[in-house]
Amino acid sequence: QVQLVESGGGLVQAGGSLRLSCAASGGTFGSYGMGWFRQAPGKEREFVIAINWSGSISYIESVKGRFTISRDNAKNTVYLQMNSLRPEDTAIYYCAASTLAAGTYNYWGQGTQVTVSS
């Protein structure tokens, strides 16, 4: 069983930065794919960015050059550095872990609110 706990959300002005953290417990963190998803009010949850066990990164176009994901396997933690934030980045951000060979995300955190004011 894997437990994920996000932290670091908050209120920031447009153009500002935030760093989210996701601490994992249980299992072998270094072998997991880790991802960040977000859900804005009235919208479906969407994939944002992910990093696999080897460090390969994937992301959506709208965060290219602004968001960075990294992982510290010694601390069982994945980070999401968000720069040049925009009001449209406002959402609940969820950390997720993929422990399955198929790459499906099967463990989720409780989410952390990010609000970007204009």
Side-chain angles (χ1 to χ4, degrees), residues 37-91:
F37 292 71
R38 65 187 181 188
Q39 187 167 19
K43 295 186 177 181
E44 294 187 353
R45 185 159 54 188
E46 67 170 348
F47 168 80
V48 178
I49 193 167
I51 183 169
N52 73 1
W53 64 272
S54 68
S56 178
I57 294 171
S58 58
Y59 50 84
I60 56 175
E61 188 64 26
S62 63
V63 306
K64 183 179 180 181
R66 300 189 301 123
F67 289 13
T68 303
I69 189 171
S70 61
R71 65 190 301 161
D72 185 336
N73 291 338
K75 296 182 178 180
N76 288 357
T77 301
V78 64
Y79 303 98
L80 175 61
Q81 178 67 44
M82 303 185 292
N83 299 327
S84 301
L85 282 161
R86 305 167 179 170
E88 55 263 39
D89 294 318
T90 295

Side-chain angles (χ1 to χ4, degrees), residues 87-110:
E88 55 263 39
D89 294 318
T90 295
I92 299 174
Y93 282 71
Y94 297 91
C95 171
S98 169
T99 68
L100 305 175
T104 304
Y105 289 93
N106 51 331
Y107 291 100
W108 296 83
Q110 82 287 351

